[in-house]
Amino acid sequence: MTGRQTEQLPAVSEGAEARAPVRARSAESAWLRAATAEPSASRVEAGVSTPDPEGKGQGVTVTVVLAALLSLVAVVAFVGILVRPETPYPAAAISAVVYFVILLVVPAARPVTPLLAPRNVCLAVWFLVMVALPAIINVVPPSANTLPYIPPHRTINGAILLNTLAYVAFFVGASCVLSRAGDGSSGTPVGRPIRQRRHPQRSLKGLITGFAAVGIIGVVARVGTVGQALAYFQGRIDGKQLENVSALRGLVAAIGPPFLSFAFVLLIEQLRRSGSLTLSKIALPLVGVIAPVSLYSYNRTAVVVPVIAIFAAYGLLALTSRKALTILVLVGLLVFAYKMGDTRREILATEGGRYSLAEVGLEDEPATSLLETIQVYGQSPQFPAFALESTLPQHYPGQSLVSSALSPIPALGRPYRDSSGDAMYNRAIYGTSDNNDQILPLAVEAWWSLGPPGVLLIFGIFGALLEVVQRRFSRRTSFAGAYGLAVIGVWLSFTPIVSMLVISQLFIYFSLPLLTFKLLAGGARVGRSTWRRRGGADF
């Protein structure tokens, strides 16, 4: 769902492995030691980071070097663009300048640790939208993909400027939250570690068992039998065939699997509490986290987001440098997403092998190139530009946003599905309501519905929400809490490249285990301070 292909959920819808235990590592053991070990004054107690606005004591990190190299590449690329006699999309230069100015002068847009913190993921997505893709289409002709035609240069330049407006609004919203907090920091500055204290913790076996039971019921409702599950993972069955079930079973199949996924997150949390967590011990639970959420019609984002969240949580709590491994994981996820794209297309087109590639017209069709894939899923400017040229029939201001937000809700959302922004966008592309596999960029949907004020309002709100999540994430002392907030933060980070429908869909079907965990933890409280002294869940 970070792209435009058939990535929507159902409508009801290790490089360097740690060789020693964590407690044997001086850099990692602080968060696993007994609670009697007092942190030094220069460290952070209970996972709360100390502001360091001047950046004192920061060394040159992989993140800083990477940011500097990207900045240099951007400068060289855009100098080359501007000196060309006929630059088709000069708005790209404005977009890039605004991106780096905000990055340099706005505290809420500065990178923090760990590398996969929600804010950093968001900055990477905005870099793709604001800098990389506008530069690419100035050098390589933009890909039409499923579009009936490439919009004119003027409209594409307008789309670039619209994204620029959304970007500014996003970090204005984030800055409002940051300034209201008053401490000048929403995380740990790049290069500065967090020291955390370990509290006595109760066993999570009951929660793990309960979440696993709900999740198994959801998985069984989704795949039916072991044979169907094996056929699904072998690509011998169309994932959509699993959705042709009764309404009640479809609802259980849609919301159940993430509970099983979260049960394995709680298992990792149990390992952390016992003091036996190492990076190598995450490998098996990670498979358990991924497997249940991979059942959503071969949806790649459902797999990628949990992996990012797992490494974000580990990076926050492990207090050890794993940036090189993290980068390798990101590269692996990119390769997986790219390779899975064509495989998924073939499985869905042939209905799991029911028809041959020749019968569905794919035998002679070339595979999508990596560059085309990046343009499609990164919402390259030609796609929002095409949407800007389309007309939006709505009975009242904001109808598209309301319909998109409500349409994923089971039963209640059915009347709103034909009037959602995604539905109208797909009708503009295909001329029919039969296909609904393209995602309308949120900036265009806000522009369609409410005009410029809508863009400022919607993106300002999402920027503020991301900053709230980032602040809470940076203060977590439990793996489960850090993971849950990382998942929410990554979803919010996709705001520039998804629609309101996708955002609503993600929260409706994937946030239930996180909310349930929080409610169960909160229900057992005997006063906030007492709960934390007893080692209650930190979310």
Side-chain angles (χ1 to χ4, degrees):
M1 284 138 21
T2 60
R4 305 156 44 85
Q5 302 288 345
T6 53
E7 286 295 306
Q8 299 189 36
L9 299 178
V12 294
S13 30
E14 218 164 24
E17 184 180 277
R19 293 181 174 80
V22 175
R23 55 179 174 271
R25 289 179 175 268
S26 60
E28 299 180 356
S29 59
W31 65 291
L32 293 171
R33 291 173 187 154
T36 55
E38 295 293 331
S40 66
S42 62
R43 298 304 182 187
V44 180
E45 185 172 347
V48 181
S49 61
T50 302
D52 187 16
E54 298 178 359
K56 294 180 180 179
Q58 296 183 28
V60 178
T61 67
V62 173
T63 308
V64 173
V65 172
L66 184 60
L69 290 175
L70 289 174
S71 302
L72 179 62
V73 170
V75 169
V76 172
F78 283 100
V79 167
I81 290 171
L82 292 175
V83 299
R84 291 179 64 187
E86 295 182 0
T87 300
Y89 312 114
I94 299 173
S95 176
V97 168
V98 170
Y99 177 85
F100 286 106
V101 167
I102 295 293
L103 192 67
L104 291 173
V105 304
V106 177
R110 292 173 186 165
V112 292
T113 56
L115 184 62
L116 293 179
R119 185 193 289 177
N120 295 349
V121 175
C122 185
L123 288 171
V125 174
W126 277 114
F127 178 84
L128 182 68
V129 171
M130 296 279 291
V131 181
L133 289 172
I136 288 173
I137 64 172
N138 271 288
V139 178
V140 179
S143 168
N145 199 264
T146 57
L147 297 179
Y149 63 88
I150 296 293
H153 291 176
R154 179 180 178 180
T155 310
I156 292 180
N157 279 298
I160 295 173
L161 296 178
L162 176 59
N163 283 331
T164 303
L165 177 66
Y167 171 75
V168 172
F170 190 94
F171 282 103
V172 167
S175 296
C176 289
V177 173
L178 187 60
S179 61
R180 186 177 178 83
D183 64 1
S185 174
S186 61
T188 305
V190 173
R192 183 184 177 93
I194 299 175
R195 293 289 184 185
Q196 303 182 43
R197 296 175 62 186
R198 178 175 178 261
H199 301 280
Q201 304 285 352
R202 65 176 185 173
S203 173
L204 290 172
K205 291 181 180 178
L207 281 177
I208 293 173
T209 302
F211 275 77
V214 174
I216 290 171
I217 292 173
V219 169
V220 171
R222 188 156 193 86
V223 299
T225 65
V226 174
Q228 280 191 298
L230 293 175
Y232 174 86
F233 285 112
Q234 293 171 1
R236 293 188 289 106
I237 184 173
D238 183 355
K240 293 183 178 180
Q241 296 176 21
L242 302 179
E243 298 162 21
N244 296 324
V245 294
S246 65
L248 178 59
R249 178 180 170 183
L251 178 61
V252 173
I255 66 176
F259 280 84
L260 180 57
S261 180
F262 196 74
F264 284 95
V265 174
L266 293 175
L267 178 60
I268 298 175
E269 170 64 14
Q270 189 69 38
L271 289 173
R272 184 197 71 82
R273 293 181 179 187
S274 67
S276 61
L277 179 65
T278 61
L279 191 59
S280 60
K281 289 187 177 180
I282 291 180
L284 187 57
L286 179 59
V287 175
V289 172
I290 293 172
V293 292
S294 65
L295 296 173
Y296 292 100
S297 298
Y298 306 101
N299 184 282
R300 288 163 285 180
T301 308
V303 173
V304 169
V305 170
V307 175
I308 292 176
I310 289 289
F311 278 85
Y314 185 85
L316 178 72
L317 300 176
L319 301 178
T320 183
S321 178
R322 297 289 182 186
K323 290 186 175 67
L325 177 60
T326 302
I327 292 173
L328 287 176
V329 169
L330 291 175
V331 172
L333 290 175
L334 177 63
V335 173
F336 161 77
Y338 171 59
K339 293 295 184 182
M340 187 61 193
D342 287 325
T343 301
R344 181 178 185 274
R345 181 183 60 166
E346 292 180 4
I347 292 173
L348 294 179
T350 62
E351 297 185 11
R354 181 180 180 184
Y355 303 102
S356 67
L357 291 176
E359 288 177 308
V360 297
L362 292 180
E363 186 176 43
D364 298 324
E365 185 175 327
T368 306
S369 69
L370 178 60
L371 185 57
E372 283 184 308
T373 300
I374 293 174
Q375 289 189 46
V376 169
Y377 288 93
Q379 294 289 10
S380 188
Q382 65 268 28
F383 297 108
F386 178 84
L388 285 174
E389 291 203 319
S390 306
T391 57
L392 172 68
Q394 57 179 7
H395 298 95
Y396 55 87
Q399 181 185 11
S400 171
L401 290 169
V402 172
S403 296
S404 294
L406 296 178
S407 61
I409 301 176
L412 177 63
R414 188 178 300 276
Y416 298 94
R417 287 169 192 162
D418 287 338
S419 59
S420 69
D422 282 31
M424 289 183 280
Y425 180 50
N426 279 272
R427 285 198 292 270
I429 293 175
Y430 298 112
T432 177
S433 301
D434 295 338
N435 292 325
N436 196 30
D437 60 358
Q438 305 299 308
I439 294 177
L440 174 68
L442 181 58
V444 177
E445 189 168 15
W447 181 276
W448 265 3
S449 295
L450 299 170
V455 178
L456 296 173
L457 176 65
I458 297 299
F459 278 85
I461 290 173
F462 278 112
L465 289 174
L466 179 74
E467 184 61 23
V468 170
V469 171
Q470 172 60 44
R471 294 185 64 81
R472 292 179 64 83
F473 170 79
S474 67
R475 286 158 169 74
R476 294 311 91 190
T477 58
S478 76
F479 194 96
Y483 169 85
L485 288 163
V487 167
I488 295 172
V490 172
W491 292 342
L492 292 172
S493 298
F494 291 157
T495 300
I497 57 176
V498 297
S499 64
M500 181 64 76
L501 184 150
V502 170
I503 295 171
S504 175
Q505 203 171 48
L506 286 168
F507 279 93
I508 289 172
Y509 292 107
F510 283 92
S511 64
L512 283 178
L514 313 179
L515 294 175
T516 303
F517 175 66
K518 182 172 176 60
L519 289 173
L520 290 174
R525 269 180 207 165
V526 186
R528 186 178 182 86
S529 60
T530 304
W531 170 256
R532 286 190 172 177
R533 284 198 302 270
R534 293 180 181 180
D538 175 22
F539 190 79

